[in-house]
Amino acid sequence: MGDKAHAHTGAAGRAATADHPSSVRNVVLVGHSGSGKTTLVEALAQTTGAVNRAGRVEDGSTVSDHDGIEHRQQRSVQLSLVPVEWGGIKINLLDTPGYADFVGELRAGLRAADAALFVVSAAQEADAVAGATRAIWEECAAVGMPRAIVVTHLDTARTPFDAMTRICGEIFGGDDPDAVLPLYLPVQGPEGSDGHAPLTGLTGLLSQRIFDYSGGERSENPPAEAQRAPLSDARDRLIEGIIAESEDETLMDRYLDGADIDIRTLVDDLERAVARGTFHPVLTAAPAAEGARQGVGTVELLDLITGGFPTPLERPLPAVTTLHGAPLPALGCDARGPLLAEVVKTASDPYVGRLSLVRVFSGTLRSDDTVHVFGHGLTDPGHEARPYHESEIRVGALSSPFGKQQRPLTECIAGDLACVARLGTAETGDTLSDPDRPLLMEPWTMPDPLLPLAIEAHGKADEDKLSEGLARLVAEDPTMRLEQNQDTHQVVLWCLGEAHLDVALDRLRSRYAVQVDAVPHRVALRETFSGPSTGRGRHVKQSGGHGQFAICEIDVEPLPPGSGIEFVDKVAGGSVPRQFIPSVEKGVRAQAAHGVATGHPLVDLRVTLRDGKYHSVDSSDAAFQTAGALALREAAADTRIQLLEPVAEIRVLVPDDCVGPVMSDLSGRRGRVVGTEQSGPGRTLVRAEVPELEIGRYAVDLRSLSHDAGRFDRSYARHEAMPAQLSDRLREQQHNGTNGT
């Protein structure tokens, strides 16, 4: 690994292909925003010959960041697939956004991949490594996904390489920091007037050779005498780390006895340990200098991917069941086996229409094949599962995405990825299988969107296009949820964060030509009586012909929370005829639904009809409905109306050192902490009850409190009385018609 010379093997404009699962590597790039993932993909594409010149994020010329939003924001906002070839192996590079708002795109990349490259920047603070990136590392570890680490931006480093490897060992190594060790040491040129020290080459710890890129091509040289001492110390530690992971139990004894261990044996053991996910090498890389054909460290990284990362044959497939949920024997990654594939991402192309990015796990997917589509999309924590849907669809054109291009394919074998055009109503997370043997894959979960955005159409023309635009937007992005709130009558988009909201609004405007206005999000409050009261409803009108006559008298008393509206008939002597008693109840309930003080529904009351009067000619159903409503309003005027606010039960998972600030913040939100418990190494789960009025922006605020490492979920607990001071302030805001959060 690292001792072979390579020529450019790709060809710009031609789709990379594979004829067997063993010739495929699916690699997802993970890292904090700004860590250099997209730039690294460009450097790898240039080294393999997939592009003749690497693009720049700043110029909007990269292959993977091809969306107009990404050009405007100069950051990735969606999963992008860049296939390249190296040494006869097809490598599917899955570039993911680093910003936490787009974690749904990251999870799609993890589902499609068999190994992960964690990209960390030496120019960023260590907190950028330790936050959300660590949580994803632990998620990969839980499923045994092989991982390697790439350090970028050494030329502008805040932290030198040796300190970065130590930080990575502490953060990612856990109890075994010797499982996270460098394979190469960087060679840097002299520091320029701008303070940058360019990366010019690497020293291979196993090969004990310097790989020099300063001339534009990779060349080999022996290290100078002055470099041998630090090289020897790092080499000894690496060899001991590799031997500790070796399946040959005699190797350590031989090494300690001073035996010379063959480098080929070490490389083979290293590759096996990487593929098993028990050893995580640290490498460094930098884009090619002007005029150079290869980026520094890209050859070494490509060698690691092709030699150390597993093939799809070596990774277990997700569990499968029948359509009715009965478990089935595990399938293998066999191109000649039964078809089993999954939609990992859905996108819209202005010319092609809906495009589905599909990972084929078993069998072979071909254009014009008929496939069985089954599923309910992805699970949505805290909400009811969407109904199952199924259909048989003829597969449209297959293609291999490469930036804006869609390069035609005739088929996609097991282990590979491809885009499918016009796959009907298939959603992200749906299973594709043979119609004669329909299957269902175990679903994967997406985070629950917890930041609300209430929107309205900007104008009449936008109203006609809004529903279709929102439906297409949500179909593309399963981390976005659309709610038509029946209590507040608002259209609400639930997103993962402010950047997610910005992208949603941008896509509505630029892709679907829909202009919307953001309005304050309203929380569904309730009203109730603070004490018993009575009311008399008198509706008497005479204006020629049949008049209107209805009088009713009611008693109202509050009930325990959750009781709703209870109607009791205690009329004696026929003062209200039996046929009009349901009319009174209907009027009472209609008025309760509209509220009596602030326009919020009235709940938890017992309304007793005890007396009334009627007229043999002028009384009617409508008259007694009106009288019932008037009686309830009069009763409300004689007592204090209490506002009730919804309270959410929230569960906040944070690093141990963030527990104090999080609990203090929750108290400031009128929250009650009801318990804490340990949830894995260094993580604490805080359970609390907090009014929903106070947590409208908690998805954003928690990130700041926890350095992007905190997560929370919420569920409705109950409505309870709002403090009088806050209630009075909200009443004053009724003139504006909002109780925005």
Side-chain angles (χ1 to χ4, degrees):
M1 192 180 299
D3 295 327
K4 299 172 286 187
H6 290 271
H8 293 287
T9 55
R14 177 176 64 83
T17 58
D19 56 6
H20 192 271
S22 61
S23 299
V24 178
R25 304 291 186 274
N26 296 308
V27 182
V28 61
L29 282 79
V30 179
H32 195 273
S33 182
S35 60
K37 299 182 298 299
T38 299
T39 301
L40 178 58
V41 169
E42 289 294 306
L44 294 173
Q46 181 178 7
T47 298
T48 59
V51 296
N52 296 320
R53 181 180 179 181
R56 286 165 32 95
V57 172
E58 297 83 357
D59 301 336
S61 57
T62 62
V63 174
S64 54
D65 284 358
H66 57 83
D67 192 283
I69 298 174
E70 294 172 316
H71 295 167
R72 290 189 288 275
Q73 298 191 2
Q74 293 194 0
R75 65 179 173 193
S76 303
V77 302
Q78 61 185 0
L79 175 69
S80 182
L81 172 61
V82 179
V84 299
E85 290 183 14
W86 186 250
I89 302 296
K90 179 182 180 182
I91 305 172
N92 288 316
L93 297 170
L94 293 150
D95 185 17
T96 64
Y99 204 70
D101 283 17
F102 309 109
V103 67
E105 303 289 324
L106 169 60
R107 289 188 181 276
L110 291 172
R111 181 69 164 192
D114 300 309
L117 279 179
F118 280 72
V119 182
V120 298
S121 172
Q124 292 179 329
E125 301 289 350
D127 286 345
V129 180
T133 309
R134 181 175 182 176
I136 300 300
W137 180 276
E138 293 170 352
E139 191 174 317
C140 292
V143 296
M145 178 177 282
R147 286 144 285 154
I149 301 159
V150 181
V151 177
T152 59
H153 300 149
L154 278 178
D155 58 335
T156 57
R158 292 174 181 264
T159 311
F161 183 73
D162 58 346
M164 283 301 303
T165 57
R166 185 176 64 253
I167 290 169
C168 289
E170 293 169 353
I171 293 173
F172 299 136
D175 297 332
D176 188 12
D178 286 338
V180 180
L181 294 172
L183 297 185
Y184 303 89
L185 298 182
V187 178
Q188 292 184 266
E191 187 174 296
S193 58
D194 58 359
H196 292 187
L199 189 65
T200 61
L202 304 172
T203 302
L205 292 179
L206 292 182
S207 66
Q208 301 185 81
R209 307 290 288 178
I210 291 180
F211 303 102
D212 185 11
Y213 287 85
S214 59
E217 292 289 339
R218 182 177 182 266
S219 61
E220 282 188 44
N221 300 293
E225 189 63 35
Q227 295 171 305
R228 291 189 182 277
L231 175 62
S232 177
D233 293 341
R235 186 174 191 268
D236 288 345
R237 190 178 176 200
L238 173 61
I239 291 174
E240 290 171 9
I242 293 172
I243 291 176
E245 299 295 338
S246 175
E247 297 174 348
D248 184 350
E249 298 179 357
T250 69
L251 202 58
M252 182 62 79
D253 292 335
R254 289 160 50 198
Y255 175 73
L256 294 175
D257 289 341
D260 187 24
I261 307 299
D262 180 65
I263 188 172
R264 188 66 251 171
T265 299
L266 291 172
V267 170
D268 289 344
D269 280 342
L270 168 65
E271 291 179 345
R272 280 191 289 267
V274 171
R276 288 197 309 268
T278 57
F279 187 83
H280 315 293
V282 181
L283 300 92
T284 186
E290 187 68 31
R293 293 178 62 191
Q294 297 173 340
V296 181
T298 53
V299 168
E300 290 74 17
L301 181 53
L302 288 163
D303 285 346
L304 173 71
I305 291 172
T306 55
F309 279 173
T311 72
L313 297 168
E314 300 170 77
R315 297 290 298 155
L317 271 60
V320 293
T321 67
T322 67
L323 302 188
H324 303 291
L328 292 171
L331 292 177
C333 182
D334 183 357
R336 293 170 296 185
L339 178 65
L340 178 67
E342 184 177 45
V343 179
V344 295
K345 178 177 171 59
T346 307
S348 290
D349 184 278
Y351 304 105
V352 180
R354 180 179 285 197
L355 279 173
S356 302
L357 179 62
V358 172
R359 162 78 191 256
V360 179
F361 290 94
S362 173
T364 299
L365 185 66
R366 299 180 178 87
S367 297
D368 294 329
D369 279 356
T370 298
V371 298
H372 186 272
V373 179
F374 191 87
H376 54 71
L378 304 178
T379 58
D380 198 4
H383 301 277
E384 293 184 6
R386 284 173 279 180
Y388 281 94
H389 56 267
E390 64 177 312
S391 58
E392 291 190 1
I393 297 173
R394 188 176 181 181
V395 175
L398 294 181
S399 60
S400 177
F402 194 86
K404 291 183 178 180
Q405 303 177 36
Q406 292 292 332
R407 299 172 173 175
L409 293 175
T410 56
E411 64 180 24
C412 181
I413 64 169
D416 207 352
L417 293 123
C419 278
V420 184
R422 296 183 294 277
L423 199 54
T425 57
E427 300 177 0
T428 301
D430 284 0
T431 302
L432 312 183
S433 57
D434 290 326
D436 296 335
R437 188 185 177 185
L439 302 170
L440 179 62
M441 293 180 67
E442 181 182 45
W444 42 298
T445 61
M446 284 289 192
D448 194 11
L450 295 169
L451 183 67
L453 174 70
I455 57 174
E456 295 176 350
H458 181 71
K460 178 63 178 175
D462 299 302
E463 289 181 8
D464 300 332
K465 298 179 289 186
L466 181 60
S467 294
E468 181 182 355
L470 289 173
R472 293 174 66 183
L473 191 68
V474 173
E476 282 186 42
D477 187 350
T479 61
M480 193 175 293
R481 179 163 50 87
L482 179 63
E483 176 191 13
Q484 303 272 355
N485 193 294
Q486 299 301 313
D487 291 319
T488 63
H489 307 292
Q490 286 188 313
V491 176
V492 183
L493 267 179
W494 288 86
C495 300
L496 294 174
E498 290 182 312
H500 199 199
L501 293 179
D502 290 343
V503 168
L505 294 176
D506 194 319
R507 282 187 174 146
L508 279 174
R509 181 172 55 252
S510 60
R511 188 176 294 177
Y512 305 121
V514 181
Q515 295 283 345
V516 297
D517 297 324
V519 296
H521 174 244
R522 294 196 292 270
V523 170
L525 303 180
R526 301 285 186 267
E527 300 174 350
T528 194
F529 280 35
S530 58
S533 184
T534 61
R536 184 172 189 267
R538 183 176 185 275
H539 183 60
V540 178
K541 289 188 176 181
Q542 185 69 47
S543 57
H546 283 298
Q548 300 180 53
F549 187 98
I551 298 174
C552 61
E553 297 177 4
I554 60 172
D555 296 328
V556 183
E557 56 185 312
L559 292 176
S563 300
I565 298 292
E566 181 182 324
F567 185 83
V568 179
D569 169 24
K570 285 192 176 179
V571 173
S575 57
V576 177
R578 307 309 303 169
Q579 69 267 28
F580 293 135
I581 290 175
S583 304
V584 177
E585 180 179 1
K586 189 174 181 181
V588 165
R589 292 189 180 277
Q591 184 63 57
H594 288 91
V596 292
T598 61
H600 300 292
L602 191 65
V603 295
D604 303 333
L605 296 176
R606 178 182 291 120
V607 178
T608 301
L609 176 63
R610 58 178 167 78
D611 202 0
K613 295 182 180 179
Y614 77 101
H615 188 277
S616 58
V617 175
D618 293 339
S619 290
S620 65
D621 169 69
F624 271 100
Q625 284 190 45
T626 302
L630 291 171
L632 188 61
R633 291 209 294 268
E634 183 177 287
D638 289 339
T639 189
R640 186 173 185 277
I641 301 301
Q642 175 70 61
L643 276 182
L644 305 176
E645 61 181 337
V647 175
E649 179 183 345
I650 70 171
R651 293 159 292 278
V652 189
L653 183 64
V654 291
D656 290 345
D657 56 358
C658 296
V659 172
V662 165
M663 292 177 67
S664 176
D665 177 73
L666 290 173
S667 297
R669 297 173 186 270
R670 300 190 286 124
R672 296 183 295 273
V673 175
V674 297
T676 62
E677 59 191 70
Q678 207 64 29
S679 181
R683 310 277 285 180
T684 298
L685 181 69
V686 179
R687 291 180 290 108
E689 294 180 343
V690 190
E692 289 191 10
L693 280 170
E694 305 290 343
I695 56 174
R697 290 182 50 81
Y698 193 61
V700 176
D701 298 336
L702 178 61
R703 288 183 187 168
S704 176
L705 279 171
S706 64
H707 307 293
D708 214 20
R711 299 291 179 267
F712 85 105
D713 60 66
R714 60 189 278 183
S715 57
Y716 170 77
R718 62 187 173 277
H719 273 73
E720 63 180 37
M722 183 184 294
Q725 182 179 3
L726 180 58
S727 176
D728 292 341
R729 186 164 75 243
L730 284 178
R731 290 174 196 269
E732 293 176 5
Q733 294 175 354
Q734 290 303 307
H735 296 294
N736 299 325
T738 70
N739 66 325
T741 60

